[in-house]
Amino acid sequence: KLCECHPLLERNQPQDIMKDSSRISALLHFLKEGHGLLEKTDIVLDVQDCLRSLLEMKRGVASLMENVEVSEFVVEATKLLAKARESSIPFVLPANLDMAWLKIASRWNRADQNFVDDDDQCSFLFRLLYAFEFLDSNRTSPFAFDPRSSPLKEALSMIGRLASKQTRDFLLAEIETLIQKHCPEFNYKGNEQQFIESGPPFDAMSRENLMEALSSSIRSRVNEGPKKGGDDRDVELLFLQAKSRLCDTDLYCTVTNAFLSSPHNLTPSYSYHLLCRDPLIVFRFPVKVWLSRGLRRLILTCLRALVLANNAIVLQESPMDESADELLVARDAIIVRCLLAMVHGCDSENYCFCSMTTNFIRWSLASRPGLLGLLIKQNLEEKAIDWLVEYIPESFNDSHMLLQILSERSCLSAAERLVVADAISRIGIVH
């Protein structure tokens, strides 16, 4: 309903102003000069009409994508309009962008190497570029989109398959700059998913069917319990297939909502925007799914992605770096304590060794100085300290922090000082 009331309506024919590409070139020339444009109301209105017409187009968009000046015009026009109207409603709302993606999601395949020449795909790229530029110019606008909830990997892959090299290079440079600015945790080149060759029955499954199959498999494990031996390779295989074919937003939301489901209630519908702001929600999953090796690997994969996104959000939105560091250390302390309690069973003589959990805890301690000191000050159990000292060599990195805590006599009681001294001695002996 909101999109129906919005000025950006789907029209069958582009407006006459877009029939002549020289119009865009002329306006782009004025935009690049940039002297006194805000006082020239007629030029600002022409730019606004031209940009709206471009974003409304349904046919002929692919031919415009071949001209790099069209992409440059979208960038420069968005910046000008942001200066001219500080609190304006964008031409592309987040719902508009979602609908543009849904038109191409079912037939999009990142493993395909053909050139992008589809009007719907090019229209999606223009709208994504506009939405990113609007966000960059109007960060506090309630109408700005959340880039983490968009298929960024798919968009970059789509841009890389454009036929025009000039347009391809310009869009890649512009989008990657904006991604690193607003989503610094995103690393497309370093974490690009290896494509898994599909076989029966996966090759015949649509995107929606694959998501439903993954959700149903997880919900059945939640309701009935994991398989004997904790080996759920069939669910892992579905997860890997989905990770190769689905965008991260859909994948992590599907997995998280399935784990939080129950046989007597409807499946929840947490958005990716909410999950990134509260990654600790994974510890609401039933304990029995944590005892399965396969399901535990799925959970830790999702948790790592959510933690990285949450790191960037906290650093961006906190008024001071010191307060952000305190929040992140407190969050990571909760994560490590929960992983120790859930997986390694600090009240048991026999630890359930899990290499992925161990690597996750090592990564947490290595990336968060002072975390071990906080855990020890919180009266961590003896067996948990033994395990951290034995299996986490990064614990030695916090030795100076522990010595500093020990020197602060007014902060610790005599019993607490003995605990810290004992931990320092163990770390020194082992490492």
Side-chain angles (χ1 to χ4, degrees):
K1 292 297 182 181
L2 179 62
C3 295
E4 291 176 359
C5 299
H6 191 261
L8 182 60
L9 301 178
E10 299 292 348
R11 300 180 182 177
N12 295 327
Q13 296 292 338
Q15 294 185 6
D16 294 338
I17 196 172
M18 298 305 301
K19 290 184 177 179
D20 188 3
S21 59
S22 62
R23 182 64 174 168
I24 295 180
S25 300
L27 290 174
L28 181 62
H29 176 72
F30 284 113
L31 290 171
K32 287 185 175 180
E33 286 186 352
H35 298 295
L37 283 179
L38 294 180
E39 288 76 16
K40 299 178 181 179
T41 308
D42 54 341
I43 295 181
V44 173
L45 292 177
D46 285 347
V47 169
Q48 182 178 349
D49 293 339
C50 191
L51 180 60
R52 181 189 290 113
S53 300
L54 172 62
L55 298 174
E56 290 176 356
M57 288 184 66
K58 294 185 64 176
R59 293 198 294 268
V61 188
S63 60
L64 291 176
M65 183 63 75
E66 298 176 0
N67 186 359
V68 68
E69 289 186 341
V70 179
S71 300
E72 293 176 355
F73 170 77
V74 173
V75 175
E76 299 297 333
T78 307
K79 293 178 180 178
L80 174 68
L81 295 177
K83 294 178 181 178
R85 302 176 62 186
E86 296 182 358
S87 59
S88 59
I89 299 178
F91 299 139
V92 177
L93 292 170
N96 296 127
L97 195 62
D98 292 340
M99 290 190 298
W101 166 245
L102 290 176
K103 285 185 178 180
I104 61 177
S106 59
R107 62 180 187 273
W108 171 251
N109 185 3
R110 282 191 292 169
D112 192 358
Q113 299 300 320
N114 297 327
F115 284 123
V116 171
D117 56 358
D118 182 78
D119 285 336
D120 290 335
Q121 294 178 1
C122 294
S123 177
F124 169 74
L125 291 179
F126 278 135
R127 294 184 179 191
L128 178 67
L129 177 62
Y130 170 81
F132 245 132
E133 294 293 345
F134 182 87
L135 170 67
D136 193 50
S137 303
N138 302 268
R139 293 191 180 186
T140 59
S141 172
F143 302 104
F145 89 123
D146 181 9
R148 293 183 178 87
S149 300
S150 298
L152 298 181
K153 291 182 180 179
E154 288 73 11
L156 288 174
S157 178
M158 203 180 300
I159 293 172
R161 286 163 42 189
L162 292 173
S164 172
K165 185 179 184 302
Q166 286 184 321
T167 305
R168 183 170 64 246
D169 293 342
F170 174 79
L171 286 179
L172 281 176
E174 189 70 20
I175 294 294
E176 287 180 352
T177 300
L178 291 169
I179 288 176
Q180 292 304 316
K181 185 176 182 179
H182 298 280
C183 306
E185 79 280 2
F186 182 83
N187 185 5
Y188 174 72
K189 295 180 180 178
N191 297 326
E192 187 171 5
Q193 175 66 26
Q194 296 292 326
F195 298 108
I196 302 173
E197 184 178 357
S198 297
F202 301 112
D203 52 357
M205 296 178 68
S206 65
R207 174 178 172 273
E208 292 76 13
N209 291 338
L210 186 59
M211 289 197 324
E212 180 58 31
L214 177 61
S215 178
S216 299
S217 299
I218 294 176
R219 282 187 277 114
S220 66
R221 299 298 190 276
V222 172
N223 299 335
E224 302 170 6
K227 291 184 177 180
K228 290 185 178 180
D231 193 358
D232 292 282
R233 294 185 180 180
D234 52 342
V235 182
E236 281 192 277
L237 181 58
L238 267 174
F239 178 81
L240 292 176
Q241 290 288 339
K243 191 169 179 59
S244 179
R245 294 174 55 183
L246 303 178
C247 62
D248 292 344
T249 301
D250 295 334
L251 177 64
Y252 296 139
C253 287
T254 299
V255 171
T256 304
N257 290 325
F259 274 120
L260 291 173
S261 64
S262 65
H264 306 293
N265 297 314
L266 295 175
T267 303
S269 56
Y270 290 102
S271 65
Y272 193 67
H273 177 84
L274 178 60
L275 295 179
C276 290
R277 281 157 176 76
D278 185 17
L280 299 181
I281 197 172
V282 301
F283 295 110
R284 292 178 55 190
F285 298 170
V287 176
K288 57 186 176 184
V289 301
W290 284 92
L291 301 179
S292 166
R293 290 191 300 271
L295 299 180
R296 187 166 59 241
R297 286 191 284 262
L298 265 65
I299 297 172
L300 292 175
T301 301
C302 296
L303 178 61
R304 182 183 174 89
L306 297 179
V307 165
L308 287 173
N310 187 253
N311 289 344
I313 292 172
V314 172
L315 291 173
Q316 288 175 349
E317 298 183 356
S318 295
M320 296 184 296
D321 292 340
E322 292 79 6
S323 60
D325 291 337
E326 291 179 2
L327 289 172
L328 294 176
V329 170
R331 182 208 63 192
D332 288 346
I334 296 174
I335 291 176
V336 172
R337 289 181 69 95
C338 289
L339 290 178
L340 289 172
M342 285 278 192
V343 181
H344 294 282
C346 299
D347 57 346
S348 174
E349 293 290 342
N350 300 316
Y351 295 122
C352 176
F353 184 79
C354 173
S355 59
M356 192 167 181
T357 306
T358 304
N359 290 333
F360 192 99
I361 296 176
R362 291 185 62 182
W363 170 69
S364 299
L365 290 177
S367 58
R368 198 67 61 201
L371 178 57
L372 181 62
L374 177 61
L375 290 171
I376 293 176
K377 285 180 65 176
Q378 291 178 347
N379 195 21
L380 198 64
E381 296 188 12
E382 290 290 323
K383 295 172 183 177
I385 296 177
D386 289 338
W387 185 89
L388 287 173
V389 172
E390 181 176 357
Y391 293 104
I392 310 296
E394 286 77 10
S395 59
F396 186 76
N397 297 339
D398 274 359
S399 57
H400 296 291
M401 187 73 66
L402 292 173
L403 289 173
Q404 183 179 358
I405 294 174
L406 191 61
S407 64
E408 298 174 356
R409 298 190 176 184
S410 60
C411 298
L412 301 176
S413 63
E416 291 172 337
R417 286 170 55 80
L418 286 174
V419 172
V420 175
D422 178 62
I424 295 174
S425 302
R426 296 186 199 182
I427 294 174
I429 292 172
V430 174
H431 301 290

